[in-house]
Amino acid sequence: LASITVATGNPAYCSVDNILYSKDMTTLVVAGKKSGDIVIPDVAAIGDYAFYSSTDITSVNIGKNVTKIGDYAFYNTKTLATVYSQNTTPPEISANTFPKYRVGRYTKYAFQLIVPAESVEAYKAATVWSEVENVNGQDIETFESGGLYYNILWGTANTVEVASAPDTKYSGDIVIPSTVQYNGENYMVVGIGEGAFSDCQ
């Protein structure tokens, strides 16, 4: 599919950035042709064959709420080098979700898997994920700027989301900027994280 556009008012589906979603944005159904680094929003499920035609994907960043990735979802992505999975609980996958390559007598997953640091052992023990040889943990980096805290988003180019304030609650008038600086780098503010302003009465 070269492009996907859903008509306004469609009762079952919507489209964002050439990707077809269920209307409530809980399921990523299928993507049009994609390449490079892909960031998947916090849907609950990724459908069968969702990115099968996108042979030039180099990395995929899977959101922390994804619990299931369908058969052959990334199977034909021959250039896939890195998979980021932000869910602390390994999502359900099948043996055919990601591509395998023959090395001598055996087939193996060639990509690097990056998961939350505290979940490395869970992924190494989970069905199918356990077959990925290159598994690394990564902590979510948080910083403060202008009275707000931000989480640096994995696998993206200098983007952050607003995070909850540790050991306190935000109060007063809140202004969320479009960009912030940290360690001499500019970051685009692209989202508000889970629980960021919870109970800020």
Side-chain angles (χ1 to χ4, degrees):
L1 295 173
S3 63
I4 299 173
T5 304
V6 177
T8 302
N10 186 296
Y13 300 103
C14 64
S15 58
V16 179
D17 192 26
N18 204 26
I19 298 177
L20 180 70
Y21 296 92
S22 60
K23 187 70 172 181
D24 59 5
M25 290 289 289
T26 60
T27 300
L28 189 157
V29 181
V30 68
K33 188 76 170 175
K34 306 291 282 186
S35 62
D37 300 324
I38 305 300
V39 178
I40 296 174
D42 284 338
V43 295
I46 299 170
D48 296 346
Y49 294 92
F51 291 90
Y52 187 85
S53 65
S54 298
T55 56
D56 297 324
I57 291 177
T58 52
S59 74
V60 58
N61 191 331
I62 300 167
K64 58 184 176 293
N65 291 323
V66 175
T67 59
K68 182 177 181 180
I69 308 173
D71 286 347
Y72 298 96
F74 296 96
Y75 191 80
N76 204 28
T77 53
K78 298 178 181 179
T79 56
L80 183 64
T82 308
V83 173
Y84 300 87
S85 181
Q86 297 185 39
N87 197 332
T88 54
T89 301
E92 178 186 340
I93 62 175
S94 76
N96 299 317
T97 295
F98 294 102
K100 273 187 172 182
Y101 299 95
R102 181 169 292 281
V103 179
R105 296 171 53 195
Y106 305 98
T107 57
K108 61 183 291 186
Y109 294 108
F111 59 83
Q112 175 186 202
L113 175 62
I114 299 176
V115 301
E118 70 270 24
S119 301
V120 170
E121 295 307 315
Y123 277 82
K124 286 184 176 180
T127 303
V128 184
W129 291 112
S130 61
E131 299 178 35
V132 180
E133 296 179 1
N134 191 357
V135 183
N136 294 286
Q138 178 173 320
D139 290 313
I140 295 176
E141 187 173 359
T142 302
F143 66 88
E144 185 272 337
S145 177
L148 291 177
Y149 288 83
Y150 300 90
N151 289 331
I152 297 176
L153 298 178
W154 290 8
T156 60
N158 289 38
T159 59
V160 297
E161 66 179 12
V162 180
S164 59
D167 304 319
T168 186
K169 295 291 182 183
Y170 295 118
S171 61
D173 298 326
I174 302 297
V175 177
I176 300 175
S178 58
T179 61
V180 291
Q181 277 202 336
Y182 175 62
N183 284 346
E185 295 279 345
N186 285 319
Y187 289 84
M188 289 183 61
V189 182
V190 298
I192 299 173
E194 185 173 331
F197 297 101
S198 176
D199 296 326
C200 295
Q201 299 177 9

